[in-house]
Amino acid sequence: MGTSSRLLRYVESRKNLTGSVCGLAGVGITLTGAAGGLWPLVVGGLYAAGALIAPPERPDTPHFPGTGEQLDALRADFAALREYLAEVELPSAAREKLTGLTTLVEALLEPGWVSDPEHLHVLGRAVRQDIPEAVDTFVRTRWWSRFTPGAEPPEQHLERQLSVLHEETSDIADALRQAEAIRQEIHTRYLEERGP
């Protein structure tokens, strides 16, 4: 940071502005004749006192993405995930479970539904970590399972993982449904109690 930018920051700082106001008060005192020959000390002292009592500068708080920005980013990541999943070859039972899961996630990511940070976290973890890892692990394990006949089929693990993930996202859908039911009930009660 150059000298000119540091000087400009100080000129705009709270300390300088408060000191300047107090220094102007000192000029006012001088103009009344109360400071006499000591007017430079009065003006300088009041400026220094103002600069000392001014509140310290605070750095700007960092900007974190709001719910809308997080949802937009999550939707973009989900679109990338769907492209990846379309290219992966899966057994029909696992593909059916995966389709059910991604359909539910897509519905939850529609605008206006999910705003709870915990729900966003669960969906983000599912889209960015759990689903791709489950599918990728299946693909890798299936390749190696050719060399170990008789081992537990990797699609069983994939189906179990997808069932757990579907249950997690279903919990979010249930919570949203319950919240809407309560909202509807409250509105009905309000309309009934409001009367004509």
Side-chain angles (χ1 to χ4, degrees):
M1 181 180 292
T3 306
S4 61
S5 64
R6 271 196 299 255
L7 181 62
L8 185 61
R9 272 186 45 195
Y10 181 75
V11 167
E12 296 173 344
S13 72
R14 293 178 186 178
K15 290 191 173 296
N16 182 51
L17 294 176
T18 306
S20 296
V21 168
C22 291
L24 283 174
V27 170
I29 292 171
T30 301
L31 291 176
T32 62
L38 299 175
W39 70 268
L41 291 175
V42 171
V43 172
L46 285 174
Y47 174 87
L52 287 174
I53 64 168
E57 294 293 324
R58 291 186 326 245
D60 293 335
T61 55
H63 170 73
F64 296 109
T67 304
E69 293 171 293
Q70 290 177 20
L71 271 174
D72 290 342
L74 189 51
R75 282 188 203 104
D77 292 345
F78 182 66
L81 174 65
R82 292 202 71 164
E83 288 178 21
Y84 162 72
L85 295 176
E87 296 178 14
V88 176
E89 185 182 323
L90 296 174
S92 58
R95 176 62 71 185
E96 189 176 315
K97 284 186 178 291
L98 183 62
T99 300
L101 174 60
T102 55
T103 301
L104 181 57
V105 170
E106 183 176 25
L108 290 170
L109 291 178
E110 285 295 315
W113 290 117
V114 176
S115 59
D116 182 270
E118 183 59 34
H119 292 166
L120 275 173
H121 172 71
V122 171
L123 289 173
R125 185 180 59 203
V127 167
R128 295 176 177 133
Q129 178 183 340
D130 295 336
I131 296 172
E133 188 172 329
V135 172
D136 185 59
T137 304
F138 163 76
V139 171
R140 292 169 181 268
T141 306
R142 181 179 60 180
W143 189 84
W144 284 105
S145 66
R146 297 179 303 168
F147 302 112
T148 54
E152 186 177 8
E155 54 266 19
Q156 287 181 356
H157 281 286
L158 176 61
E159 289 173 25
R160 286 167 50 197
Q161 291 167 4
L162 294 174
S163 294
V164 170
L165 291 170
H166 193 279
E167 190 175 317
E168 277 186 357
T169 50
S170 293
D171 289 345
I172 295 172
D174 287 343
L176 292 173
R177 182 190 54 75
Q178 289 172 6
E180 290 302 317
I182 290 170
R183 184 172 160 222
Q184 185 180 35
E185 183 181 320
I186 289 169
H187 189 61
T188 301
R189 197 175 317 129
Y190 162 74
L191 290 174
E192 290 172 347
E193 292 173 357
R194 183 176 70 180

